[in-house]
Amino acid sequence: MPPSCPRCRLPLRAEAGVDLCDQCGGVWFDRGELEAAIEAAPPQGAVPAARPEPAVRYLPCPRCTTLMNRKAYERISGVTLDHCNAHGVWLDAGELDRILAFEAGDGRERLAIKLTDEARLDRERQRDASQRWARIRAGLESY
Ligand SMILES: [Zn+2]
Ligand SMILES: [Zn+2]
């Protein structure tokens, strides 16, 4: 039985190694295929405007029909993927373009900056906490 679209329930059409839904424009990538597609993608132009996410709803995996997990793609890309740990990942229409634009543009750079900022904040928070602890100790010693 061919896999069917988790949104429209129509059979997906196999095309160039992925499975497409002609109705909603979603794409199913078997495990590892998305990474391969990103690797092979030609350079992208401008980032397509974010489309409103369809109503949040857990979708069934086209392969095993278990409800998929929702997971942000690299956190700042603005794309939320539906993925089945065992089988692969579902992208709604337009999400692949946004992922490719993220990968090709300055997305990686922005992510690195964000992670560096977060690490710095963490260190500052730890330092604050240890200074506070030192003050508490000093306070206790005066008794
Ligand atoms: Zn569909
Ligand atoms: Zn599955």
Side-chain angles (χ1 to χ4, degrees):
M1 209 181 79
S4 53
C5 174
R7 290 201 185 275
C8 316
R9 309 297 157 105
L10 297 172
L12 296 174
R13 180 166 57 84
E15 176 78 51
V18 298
D19 297 287
L20 305 174
C21 176
D22 289 322
Q23 181 81 13
C24 68
V27 193
W28 169 256
F29 289 86
D30 282 323
R31 257 177 86 168
E33 284 180 349
L34 177 60
E35 292 77 0
I38 290 170
E39 287 277 301
Q44 291 272 311
V47 181
R51 299 191 188 196
E53 273 275 307
V56 171
R57 158 163 100 78
Y58 288 87
L59 301 174
C61 168
R63 299 269 178 230
C64 67
T65 72
T66 305
L67 292 184
M68 295 187 278
N69 299 310
R70 292 174 55 79
K71 177 175 111 174
Y73 183 81
E74 299 294 13
R75 293 167 39 187
I76 62 166
S77 69
V79 179
T80 306
L81 306 178
D82 298 281
H83 84 123
C84 170
N85 280 336
H87 297 105
V89 58
W90 174 258
L91 301 188
D92 289 315
E95 288 183 338
L96 179 60
D97 283 341
R98 284 160 59 203
I99 286 178
L100 293 178
F102 172 82
E103 293 289 346
D106 64 355
R108 288 277 156 199
E109 239 165 85
R110 285 187 294 120
L111 182 62
I113 291 168
K114 182 173 167 61
L115 293 178
T116 312
D117 279 356
E118 283 179 0
R120 187 172 48 75
L121 282 176
D122 263 4
R123 279 198 305 277
E124 280 171 10
R125 238 177 268 133
Q126 273 168 17
R127 206 185 49 223
D128 286 352
S130 65
Q131 280 174 357
R132 181 159 168 263
W133 182 237
R135 284 201 302 276
I136 292 169
R137 290 297 293 265
L140 288 175
E141 275 160 21
S142 61
Y143 286 97

